[in-house]
Every structure is written in structure tokens, then in C-alpha cells.
Short mmCIF file of all heavy atoms in Angstrom, two decimals:
data_model
loop_
_atom_site.label_atom_id
_atom_site.label_comp_id
_atom_site.label_asym_id
_atom_site.label_seq_id
_atom_site.Cartn_x
_atom_site.Cartn_y
_atom_site.Cartn_z
N ILE R 11 3.31 -11.37 -1.80
CA ILE R 11 3.34 -10.26 -0.84
C ILE R 11 4.73 -9.64 -0.82
O ILE R 11 4.88 -8.42 -0.87
CB ILE R 11 2.93 -10.74 0.56
CG1 ILE R 11 1.47 -11.19 0.57
CG2 ILE R 11 3.16 -9.64 1.61
CD1 ILE R 11 1.03 -11.86 1.85
N LEU R 12 5.74 -10.47 -0.76
CA LEU R 12 7.11 -9.97 -0.71
C LEU R 12 7.47 -9.21 -1.99
O LEU R 12 8.26 -8.26 -1.96
CB LEU R 12 8.09 -11.13 -0.49
CG LEU R 12 7.94 -11.88 0.83
CD1 LEU R 12 8.95 -13.03 0.92
CD2 LEU R 12 8.11 -10.94 2.02
N ALA R 13 6.88 -9.63 -3.10
CA ALA R 13 7.15 -8.97 -4.38
C ALA R 13 6.27 -7.75 -4.59
O ALA R 13 6.44 -7.01 -5.58
CB ALA R 13 6.95 -9.96 -5.52
N GLY R 14 5.32 -7.52 -3.68
CA GLY R 14 4.41 -6.39 -3.82
C GLY R 14 3.45 -6.53 -4.99
O GLY R 14 3.03 -5.53 -5.58
N LYS R 15 3.07 -7.78 -5.33
CA LYS R 15 2.19 -8.00 -6.47
C LYS R 15 0.75 -7.73 -6.09
O LYS R 15 0.28 -8.16 -5.03
CB LYS R 15 2.33 -9.45 -6.99
CG LYS R 15 3.69 -9.75 -7.59
CD LYS R 15 3.66 -11.01 -8.44
CE LYS R 15 2.85 -10.80 -9.69
NZ LYS R 15 2.96 -11.94 -10.63
N LYS R 16 0.05 -7.05 -6.95
CA LYS R 16 -1.37 -6.75 -6.73
C LYS R 16 -2.19 -7.94 -7.18
O LYS R 16 -2.70 -8.00 -8.30
CB LYS R 16 -1.76 -5.49 -7.49
CG LYS R 16 -1.04 -4.23 -7.01
CD LYS R 16 -1.48 -3.03 -7.83
CE LYS R 16 -0.81 -1.75 -7.34
NZ LYS R 16 0.63 -1.73 -7.68
N THR R 17 -2.35 -8.91 -6.31
CA THR R 17 -3.13 -10.10 -6.60
C THR R 17 -4.61 -9.83 -6.34
O THR R 17 -4.99 -8.78 -5.82
CB THR R 17 -2.68 -11.27 -5.72
OG1 THR R 17 -2.95 -10.94 -4.34
CG2 THR R 17 -1.20 -11.56 -5.90
N PHE R 18 -5.45 -10.81 -6.68
CA PHE R 18 -6.87 -10.66 -6.41
C PHE R 18 -7.11 -10.50 -4.91
O PHE R 18 -7.97 -9.72 -4.49
CB PHE R 18 -7.65 -11.88 -6.93
CG PHE R 18 -9.14 -11.72 -6.86
CD1 PHE R 18 -9.84 -11.16 -7.92
CD2 PHE R 18 -9.84 -12.12 -5.73
CE1 PHE R 18 -11.21 -10.99 -7.85
CE2 PHE R 18 -11.22 -11.95 -5.65
CZ PHE R 18 -11.91 -11.39 -6.71
N LEU R 19 -6.34 -11.21 -4.08
CA LEU R 19 -6.50 -11.12 -2.64
C LEU R 19 -6.27 -9.69 -2.15
O LEU R 19 -7.05 -9.16 -1.36
CB LEU R 19 -5.53 -12.07 -1.92
CG LEU R 19 -5.88 -13.55 -1.87
CD1 LEU R 19 -5.67 -14.22 -3.23
CD2 LEU R 19 -5.03 -14.27 -0.82
N TYR R 20 -5.20 -9.10 -2.62
CA TYR R 20 -4.85 -7.74 -2.20
C TYR R 20 -5.92 -6.74 -2.66
O TYR R 20 -6.37 -5.89 -1.88
CB TYR R 20 -3.49 -7.36 -2.78
CG TYR R 20 -3.08 -5.92 -2.57
CD1 TYR R 20 -2.63 -5.48 -1.33
CD2 TYR R 20 -3.15 -5.00 -3.61
CE1 TYR R 20 -2.25 -4.15 -1.14
CE2 TYR R 20 -2.78 -3.68 -3.42
CZ TYR R 20 -2.33 -3.26 -2.19
OH TYR R 20 -1.97 -1.95 -2.00
N LEU R 21 -6.34 -6.84 -3.91
CA LEU R 21 -7.32 -5.90 -4.45
C LEU R 21 -8.68 -6.08 -3.82
O LEU R 21 -9.41 -5.11 -3.57
CB LEU R 21 -7.40 -6.06 -5.97
CG LEU R 21 -6.11 -5.72 -6.73
CD1 LEU R 21 -6.24 -6.11 -8.19
CD2 LEU R 21 -5.76 -4.25 -6.59
N LYS R 22 -9.05 -7.33 -3.53
CA LYS R 22 -10.32 -7.59 -2.86
C LYS R 22 -10.29 -7.04 -1.44
O LYS R 22 -11.30 -6.48 -0.96
CB LYS R 22 -10.61 -9.09 -2.84
CG LYS R 22 -12.03 -9.43 -2.40
CD LYS R 22 -13.04 -8.89 -3.41
CE LYS R 22 -14.47 -9.25 -3.05
NZ LYS R 22 -15.44 -8.72 -4.02
N ALA R 23 -9.16 -7.18 -0.77
CA ALA R 23 -9.03 -6.64 0.58
C ALA R 23 -9.23 -5.13 0.58
O ALA R 23 -9.93 -4.59 1.44
CB ALA R 23 -7.66 -6.99 1.15
N LEU R 24 -8.62 -4.44 -0.37
CA LEU R 24 -8.79 -3.00 -0.46
C LEU R 24 -10.25 -2.62 -0.73
O LEU R 24 -10.73 -1.60 -0.24
CB LEU R 24 -7.91 -2.42 -1.57
CG LEU R 24 -6.39 -2.42 -1.33
CD1 LEU R 24 -5.68 -1.84 -2.53
CD2 LEU R 24 -6.03 -1.65 -0.06
N GLU R 25 -10.95 -3.45 -1.49
CA GLU R 25 -12.34 -3.16 -1.82
C GLU R 25 -13.24 -3.22 -0.59
O GLU R 25 -14.17 -2.42 -0.45
CB GLU R 25 -12.84 -4.13 -2.88
CG GLU R 25 -14.27 -3.87 -3.32
CD GLU R 25 -14.78 -4.91 -4.30
OE1 GLU R 25 -14.98 -6.07 -3.90
OE2 GLU R 25 -15.00 -4.55 -5.47
N VAL R 26 -13.00 -4.19 0.29
CA VAL R 26 -13.90 -4.40 1.43
C VAL R 26 -13.39 -3.76 2.72
O VAL R 26 -14.11 -3.72 3.72
CB VAL R 26 -14.15 -5.91 1.65
CG1 VAL R 26 -14.77 -6.54 0.41
CG2 VAL R 26 -12.86 -6.64 2.04
N ALA R 27 -12.16 -3.26 2.72
CA ALA R 27 -11.56 -2.72 3.94
C ALA R 27 -12.07 -1.32 4.26
O ALA R 27 -12.50 -0.58 3.37
CB ALA R 27 -10.04 -2.68 3.80
N SER R 28 -12.01 -0.98 5.54
CA SER R 28 -12.23 0.41 5.93
C SER R 28 -11.00 1.22 5.52
O SER R 28 -9.97 0.64 5.14
CB SER R 28 -12.43 0.49 7.45
OG SER R 28 -11.22 0.13 8.11
N LYS R 29 -11.10 2.53 5.60
CA LYS R 29 -9.95 3.37 5.24
C LYS R 29 -8.75 3.04 6.13
O LYS R 29 -7.61 2.95 5.65
CB LYS R 29 -10.29 4.84 5.36
CG LYS R 29 -9.16 5.76 4.89
CD LYS R 29 -9.51 7.22 5.02
CE LYS R 29 -8.40 8.10 4.44
NZ LYS R 29 -7.06 7.79 4.99
N GLU R 30 -9.00 2.83 7.41
CA GLU R 30 -7.90 2.51 8.33
C GLU R 30 -7.26 1.18 7.97
O GLU R 30 -6.03 1.05 7.95
CB GLU R 30 -8.43 2.47 9.77
CG GLU R 30 -7.35 2.16 10.80
CD GLU R 30 -7.89 2.07 12.22
OE1 GLU R 30 -9.10 2.30 12.41
OE2 GLU R 30 -7.11 1.75 13.12
N GLU R 31 -8.09 0.18 7.67
CA GLU R 31 -7.57 -1.14 7.31
C GLU R 31 -6.81 -1.08 5.98
O GLU R 31 -5.76 -1.71 5.83
CB GLU R 31 -8.71 -2.14 7.23
CG GLU R 31 -9.32 -2.47 8.58
CD GLU R 31 -10.65 -3.19 8.46
OE1 GLU R 31 -11.33 -3.04 7.40
OE2 GLU R 31 -11.04 -3.87 9.42
N ALA R 32 -7.34 -0.31 5.03
CA ALA R 32 -6.68 -0.17 3.73
C ALA R 32 -5.32 0.50 3.89
O ALA R 32 -4.33 0.09 3.25
CB ALA R 32 -7.55 0.63 2.78
N ASP R 33 -5.25 1.52 4.74
CA ASP R 33 -3.97 2.19 4.99
C ASP R 33 -2.97 1.25 5.63
O ASP R 33 -1.77 1.26 5.29
CB ASP R 33 -4.18 3.42 5.88
CG ASP R 33 -4.90 4.56 5.16
OD1 ASP R 33 -4.92 4.55 3.92
OD2 ASP R 33 -5.43 5.45 5.85
N GLN R 34 -3.44 0.42 6.56
CA GLN R 34 -2.56 -0.57 7.20
C GLN R 34 -2.03 -1.57 6.17
O GLN R 34 -0.84 -1.92 6.18
CB GLN R 34 -3.32 -1.30 8.30
CG GLN R 34 -3.62 -0.48 9.53
CD GLN R 34 -4.42 -1.27 10.56
OE1 GLN R 34 -4.74 -2.44 10.36
NE2 GLN R 34 -4.75 -0.63 11.67
N LEU R 35 -2.93 -2.02 5.32
CA LEU R 35 -2.54 -3.01 4.31
C LEU R 35 -1.49 -2.44 3.37
O LEU R 35 -0.47 -3.09 3.08
CB LEU R 35 -3.77 -3.46 3.52
CG LEU R 35 -3.53 -4.48 2.40
CD1 LEU R 35 -2.87 -5.74 2.95
CD2 LEU R 35 -4.84 -4.81 1.69
N LYS R 36 -1.71 -1.24 2.89
CA LYS R 36 -0.74 -0.61 1.99
C LYS R 36 0.60 -0.40 2.69
O LYS R 36 1.67 -0.57 2.09
CB LYS R 36 -1.28 0.73 1.48
CG LYS R 36 -2.47 0.59 0.53
CD LYS R 36 -3.02 1.96 0.15
CE LYS R 36 -4.23 1.85 -0.75
NZ LYS R 36 -4.81 3.17 -1.08
N HIS R 37 0.53 -0.03 3.97
CA HIS R 37 1.75 0.18 4.74
C HIS R 37 2.58 -1.10 4.79
O HIS R 37 3.78 -1.10 4.50
CB HIS R 37 1.42 0.64 6.15
CG HIS R 37 2.58 0.53 7.11
ND1 HIS R 37 3.65 1.41 7.09
CD2 HIS R 37 2.85 -0.39 8.09
CE1 HIS R 37 4.52 1.05 8.02
NE2 HIS R 37 4.06 -0.02 8.64
N TRP R 38 1.95 -2.20 5.15
CA TRP R 38 2.68 -3.46 5.27
C TRP R 38 3.10 -4.00 3.90
O TRP R 38 4.18 -4.58 3.76
CB TRP R 38 1.84 -4.50 6.01
CG TRP R 38 1.81 -4.28 7.48
CD1 TRP R 38 0.76 -3.85 8.24
CD2 TRP R 38 2.90 -4.46 8.39
NE1 TRP R 38 1.12 -3.75 9.56
CE2 TRP R 38 2.43 -4.13 9.68
CE3 TRP R 38 4.22 -4.87 8.24
CZ2 TRP R 38 3.23 -4.19 10.81
CZ3 TRP R 38 5.03 -4.95 9.37
CH2 TRP R 38 4.54 -4.61 10.63
N TYR R 39 2.25 -3.83 2.91
CA TYR R 39 2.52 -4.41 1.59
C TYR R 39 3.77 -3.81 0.96
O TYR R 39 4.52 -4.51 0.26
CB TYR R 39 1.32 -4.19 0.68
CG TYR R 39 1.00 -5.38 -0.19
CD1 TYR R 39 0.40 -6.52 0.34
CD2 TYR R 39 1.27 -5.38 -1.56
CE1 TYR R 39 0.10 -7.61 -0.45
CE2 TYR R 39 0.97 -6.46 -2.36
CZ TYR R 39 0.39 -7.58 -1.79
OH TYR R 39 0.10 -8.68 -2.58
N TYR R 40 3.99 -2.53 1.20
CA TYR R 40 5.12 -1.85 0.57
C TYR R 40 6.17 -1.39 1.59
O TYR R 40 7.00 -0.54 1.30
CB TYR R 40 4.62 -0.68 -0.27
CG TYR R 40 3.73 -1.13 -1.40
CD1 TYR R 40 2.35 -0.91 -1.36
CD2 TYR R 40 4.25 -1.82 -2.49
CE1 TYR R 40 1.52 -1.36 -2.39
CE2 TYR R 40 3.44 -2.27 -3.52
CZ TYR R 40 2.08 -2.03 -3.47
OH TYR R 40 1.27 -2.48 -4.48
N ASN R 41 6.14 -2.00 2.77
CA ASN R 41 7.11 -1.69 3.82
C ASN R 41 8.40 -2.49 3.57
O ASN R 41 8.40 -3.71 3.64
CB ASN R 41 6.53 -2.04 5.18
CG ASN R 41 7.43 -1.62 6.33
OD1 ASN R 41 8.59 -1.28 6.12
ND2 ASN R 41 6.90 -1.64 7.53
N GLU R 42 9.47 -1.79 3.28
CA GLU R 42 10.74 -2.46 2.99
C GLU R 42 11.63 -2.58 4.23
O GLU R 42 12.74 -3.12 4.15
CB GLU R 42 11.49 -1.71 1.88
CG GLU R 42 10.73 -1.68 0.56
CD GLU R 42 11.50 -0.94 -0.52
OE1 GLU R 42 12.59 -0.39 -0.21
OE2 GLU R 42 11.02 -0.91 -1.67
N GLN R 43 11.15 -2.08 5.36
CA GLN R 43 11.96 -2.10 6.58
C GLN R 43 11.73 -3.35 7.41
O GLN R 43 12.60 -3.78 8.16
CB GLN R 43 11.64 -0.86 7.44
CG GLN R 43 11.78 0.46 6.70
CD GLN R 43 13.15 0.66 6.10
OE1 GLN R 43 14.17 0.37 6.73
NE2 GLN R 43 13.20 1.16 4.86
N SER R 44 10.55 -3.95 7.29
CA SER R 44 10.22 -5.12 8.11
C SER R 44 10.81 -6.39 7.51
O SER R 44 11.13 -6.44 6.31
CB SER R 44 8.70 -5.26 8.24
OG SER R 44 8.11 -5.35 6.96
N SER R 45 10.91 -7.42 8.33
CA SER R 45 11.42 -8.71 7.85
C SER R 45 10.36 -9.39 6.98
O SER R 45 9.17 -9.04 7.04
CB SER R 45 11.77 -9.61 9.02
OG SER R 45 10.59 -10.01 9.71
N ALA R 46 10.79 -10.38 6.22
CA ALA R 46 9.87 -11.08 5.33
C ALA R 46 8.75 -11.75 6.12
O ALA R 46 7.57 -11.64 5.78
CB ALA R 46 10.63 -12.12 4.51
N ASP R 47 9.11 -12.45 7.20
CA ASP R 47 8.10 -13.15 8.00
C ASP R 47 7.12 -12.17 8.63
O ASP R 47 5.91 -12.42 8.66
CB ASP R 47 8.77 -13.98 9.10
CG ASP R 47 9.50 -15.20 8.54
OD1 ASP R 47 9.22 -15.57 7.38
OD2 ASP R 47 10.35 -15.77 9.25
#
């Protein structure tokens, strides 16, 4: 997650997520402002 790797978990989440959930996931996955934890 910290490396922004597109793993099976990430891609599967995008497949089953709603548009709102997918947008949230992408936001957090590539957010460089938040802490690692």
C-alpha cells in the first residue's frame, strides 16, 4: 500500500467497489500527505 503497488487486493477492490468507494480507495492509495499508519 505504501509503495502504491497494484496488487490483486487493490484491483479486486476496484472491481467490486461502487464509484464512491473506488474514488476513496484511489485517494488513499496515492495520497502522499497522510502518515503511513
Side-chain angles (χ1 to χ4, degrees):
I11 294 172
L12 297 179
K15 293 197 69 172
K16 296 179 178 72
T17 63
F18 188 89
L19 282 74
Y20 173 76
L21 296 172
K22 191 65 178 179
L24 290 179
E25 182 184 69
V26 301
S28 66
K29 184 180 184 308
E30 181 182 357
E31 290 166 336
D33 289 342
Q34 289 178 2
L35 179 57
K36 291 176 182 178
H37 165 75
W38 283 109
Y39 220 74
Y40 297 108
N41 185 347
E42 298 181 356
Q43 306 303 317
S44 57
S45 69
D47 289 343

